[in-house]
Amino acid sequence: MKSLPFSYCFISFIFFASINLLLAADNITPDVSIQDGETLISSAQRFELGFFSPGNSKNRYLGIWYKKSPETVVWVANRNNPILDSNGVLSISENGNLVLLSNTKSIVWSSNISVNVENPVAQLLDTGNFVLMDNFSRNSSENYLWQSFDYPSDIQLPGMKLGWNLKTGLERYLTSWKSADDPSSGDFTFRFDINYFLPELVIYRGSMKMARSGPWNGVFFGGVPSSPSLIFQLVMVHNQDEYSYWYESFNNPVVMLAKLNQSGMKQWQIWNERSHKWDLVYSAPEDECRHYGHCGANTVCCVKKTPICECLKGFKPNSQYNQTSSKGCVRSSSLDWEGGDRFTKVEGIKLPDLIDVSLNESMSLKECQAKCFSNCSCTAYTNSNATGGGSGCLMWFGDLIDIRTVAENRGTQDIYLRVLASELGYSC
Ligand SMILES: *[C@@H]1O[C@H](CO)[C@@H](O)[C@H](O)[C@H]1NC(C)=O
Ligand SMILES: *[C@@H]1O[C@H](CO)[C@@H](O)[C@H](O)[C@H]1NC(C)=O
Ligand SMILES: *[C@@H]1O[C@H](CO)[C@@H](O)[C@H](O)[C@H]1NC(C)=O
Ligand SMILES: *[C@@H]1O[C@H](CO)[C@@H](O)[C@H](O)[C@H]1NC(C)=O
Ligand SMILES: *[C@@H]1O[C@H](CO)[C@@H](O)[C@H](O)[C@H]1NC(C)=O
Ligand SMILES: *[C@@H]1O[C@H](CO)[C@@H](O)[C@H](O)[C@H]1NC(C)=O
Ligand SMILES: *[C@@H]1O[C@H](CO)[C@@H](O)[C@H](O)[C@H]1NC(C)=O
Ligand SMILES: *[C@@H]1O[C@H](CO)[C@@H](O)[C@H](O)[C@H]1NC(C)=O
């Protein structure tokens, strides 16, 4: 009789322990931490958070992956600071921060926020976002104290913003992995550039531009395919707090991601339930013309032609020009500013880069032409806003860089180029 209470306790302990295993938690609090080998699973079983070793590496990283595709790691906490053994622990520290500790209890990674949190809780959401909040009932996005979506790795998930928090100056952008075995920051970044008034999507290698979209014109980014939009939709937010964009899935069951891979390619992938693999739906840059400024200044890059580089109307090859490696083009004759120059419409292109430009969002196209015409250094102009028939005035001064022809389903734009009246008739 005396042993009964003990076995009762023991049995119920086993019972509750197995319940815990069956229903993996989606959150941690200061009382609960995650050891290497344990994981959090989001409530609808979409994402899992825990420790992993990528590829052939033995290093341990804290990351988030798809439950149904564990090799697809969508976020890494300590990407540049691996743990060398399996003694890592994720917990919430006394000051309410998420901290990743090594076996020597030194901090390997931290959410590093500086607010006082009374009842901190960190939850893995079904969107793949890992969020820290004060008190479970304050679980809406404006109350997140920290979120993994603000610190992207190499993957943009639906609902995850890239771009700028204009209040704090925080820029969210993708950074490629170094290799399949090493998630540390690679050479490539994918950024939402707002340096020149209108956003462009740019792939950089270090500080060098490798490829760019045309500027956002209120409807699309020039040269970016519209085909993925059958599955997901691009959402742009511009207000005084932020300038950013994200993808929203039309068809919720579709599991998709956009990844900047180790070779600097942006890949859109969709999960195929039948094959249990990712299908590649699109990747960029897709051809030679996508390489930034491939043909040099004042050219049009046209993959359907050989050679692919051609001078803009009114320009001739400069002295170092050769057909396989263009060094760009210069004006063939000086423009006759006394009325011999006109504008010619170049259609179906990606607009030149915004290097020396001026923008007036309230001008009409007609006013824009008059303004450009009246200024000798204005080389081209176009509407900045394609919504509702077009408005706004975007003018270029100096050389025109990185113009290419674009297939019709890829968001084409038009530009009005200053030429001599006698040279009208350019086409690519
Ligand atoms: C934490 O943030 C402070 C200031 O915001 C910064 O100086 C410090 O380097 C950060 N520490 C870590 C470990 O990121
Ligand atoms: C959590 O927040 C709610 C509403 O803001 C409040 O009523 C509740 O007392 C808080 N709980 C704790 C444990 O702080
Ligand atoms: C968020 O908090 C509200 C209010 O406490 C609660 O009803 C709801 O279930 C919570 N949602 C999640 C996803 O935890
Ligand atoms: C990156 O993506 C491109 C295009 O999909 C592919 O050809 C290339 O092999 C990928 N690179 C790596 C390292 O996976
Ligand atoms: C063109 O220029 C490139 C780089 O300067 C050079 O490698 C190539 O041989 C040249 N091609 C011709 C046909 O001159
Ligand atoms: C933009 O154009 C409008 C109409 O021509 C003009 O009134 C306004 O001053 C211009 N704004 C700037 C900043 O130049
Ligand atoms: C032409 O436009 C440029 C750039 O906006 C400006 O610096 C320059 O003063 C203008 N020139 C004239 C004659 O208006
Ligand atoms: C673009 O044009 C649309 C329709 O005319 C207008 O609603 C929108 O505010 C404009 N956007 C900007 C940035 O001016």
Side-chain angles (χ1 to χ4, degrees):
M1 285 298 282
K2 273 201 165 166
S3 66
L4 184 64
F6 170 76
S7 29
Y8 177 75
C9 284
F10 185 68
I11 288 167
S12 48
F13 169 76
I14 292 194
F15 179 68
F16 285 113
S18 41
I19 289 234
N20 269 341
L21 281 179
L22 286 175
L23 300 173
D26 69 352
N27 67 81
I28 59 169
T29 55
D31 309 332
V32 184
S33 49
I34 300 278
Q35 322 262 335
D36 197 327
E38 298 174 331
T39 62
L40 295 180
I41 295 176
S42 68
S43 62
Q45 312 272 304
R46 285 171 64 110
F47 289 96
E48 186 162 14
L49 177 147
F51 292 84
F52 72 101
S53 292
N56 296 320
S57 169
K58 295 229 161 31
N59 291 339
R60 302 298 285 167
Y61 297 89
L62 180 78
I64 298 172
W65 55 86
Y66 278 99
K67 181 97 175 50
K68 56 176 137 194
S69 173
E71 65 283 3
T72 310
V73 175
V74 298
W75 182 76
V76 187
N78 56 322
R79 67 185 300 182
N80 292 313
N81 201 5
I83 296 173
L84 305 177
D85 56 30
S86 53
N87 293 316
V89 179
L90 174 71
S91 55
I92 294 182
S93 70
E94 269 170 26
N95 67 9
N97 269 297
L98 279 164
V99 288
L100 181 58
L101 303 172
S102 71
N103 63 341
T104 59
K105 300 290 170 247
S106 65
I107 296 179
V108 170
W109 171 87
S110 157
S111 55
N112 201 16
I113 54 164
S114 57
V115 291
N116 248 337
V117 193
E118 278 176 25
N119 299 293
V121 53
Q123 187 178 22
L124 178 62
L125 306 181
D126 274 318
T127 54
N129 197 3
F130 187 42
V131 302
L132 178 66
M133 53 209 157
D134 185 7
N135 183 343
F136 237 133
S137 58
R138 298 175 58 76
N139 61 7
S140 61
S141 59
E142 62 270 20
N143 291 324
Y144 296 158
L145 303 167
W146 178 92
Q147 53 183 319
S148 61
F149 272 16
D150 276 345
Y151 303 92
S153 296
D154 62 339
I155 283 178
Q156 182 179 19
L157 292 171
M160 175 175 169
K161 289 172 181 174
L162 294 185
W164 296 81
N165 179 330
L166 299 173
K167 270 177 158 171
T168 61
L170 175 78
E171 185 193 1
R172 307 177 198 89
Y173 60 93
L174 304 180
T175 305
S176 62
W177 284 28
K178 204 154 248 166
S179 73
D181 300 332
D182 181 2
S184 66
S185 305
D187 292 344
F188 299 97
T189 54
F190 176 83
R191 311 172 86 128
F192 179 88
D193 267 7
I194 51 170
N195 299 342
Y196 308 107
F197 324 110
L198 296 169
E200 291 181 333
L201 302 175
V202 185
I203 295 172
Y204 286 92
R205 173 175 217 150
S207 60
M208 263 180 51
K209 275 187 193 179
M210 301 302 288
R212 61 177 262 281
S213 71
W216 174 253
N217 66 3
V219 185
F220 54 77
F221 288 102
V224 171
S226 52
S227 56
S229 69
L230 298 173
I231 304 145
F232 46 85
Q233 175 187 21
L234 189 151
V235 186
M236 179 73 63
V237 200
H238 186 196
N239 55 41
Q240 57 188 31
D241 294 343
E242 67 175 304
Y243 207 165
S244 55
Y245 85 104
W246 71 89
Y247 291 107
E248 207 66 81
S249 194
F250 276 140
N251 175 2
N252 242 350
V254 167
V255 175
M256 62 79 61
L257 57 83
K259 169 172 173 169
L260 178 67
N261 82 7
Q262 296 122 42
S263 342
M265 301 282 283
K266 187 93 187 284
Q267 296 177 309
W268 278 263
Q269 301 176 6
I270 289 179
W271 181 254
N272 185 326
E273 279 299 345
R274 282 196 208 134
S275 65
H276 282 260
K277 287 204 176 89
W278 292 97
D279 289 339
L280 183 64
V281 286
Y282 172 66
S283 71
E286 61 203 329
D287 57 42
E288 276 184 278
C289 289
R290 284 259 170 175
H291 298 142
Y292 182 73
H294 184 73
C295 292
N298 308 309
T299 56
V300 178
C301 191
C302 182
V303 271
K304 288 203 197 111
K305 289 197 171 175
T306 8
I308 64 173
C309 295
E310 195 179 346
C311 291
L312 282 168
K313 200 85 209 162
F315 290 81
K316 62 172 191 231
N318 77 11
S319 51
Q320 291 124 45
Y321 192 95
N322 88 31
Q323 290 191 331
T324 53
S325 162
S326 167
K327 295 289 191 295
C329 302
V330 292
R331 284 264 177 219
S332 33
S333 52
S334 55
L335 295 169
D336 170 10
W337 302 113
E338 298 309 316
D341 55 325
R342 291 285 183 276
F343 292 97
T344 181
K345 189 178 186 181
V346 184
E347 293 181 296
I349 56 151
K350 178 179 82 176
L351 294 177
D353 202 3
L354 307 179
I355 292 169
D356 188 0
V357 295
S358 129
L359 172 68
N360 182 324
E361 285 178 328
S362 57
M363 273 188 192
S364 70
L365 195 61
K366 211 162 175 166
E367 291 170 315
C368 192
Q369 172 172 2
K371 182 88 179 168
C372 185
F373 190 72
S374 70
N375 185 321
C376 301
S377 29
C378 178
T379 42
Y381 70 91
T382 197
N383 272 150
S384 55
N385 184 347
T387 321
S391 64
C393 176
L394 180 59
M395 291 184 287
W396 281 260
F397 303 90
D399 285 339
L400 301 171
I401 311 284
D402 197 39
I403 303 177
R404 66 161 298 167
T405 57
V406 172
E408 266 158 38
N409 66 345
R410 295 283 153 101
T412 71
Q413 297 167 317
D414 304 333
I415 197 175
Y416 299 86
L417 177 72
R418 183 173 222 140
V419 288
L420 275 176
S422 58
E423 287 168 330
L424 286 178
Y426 170 82
S427 78
C428 175

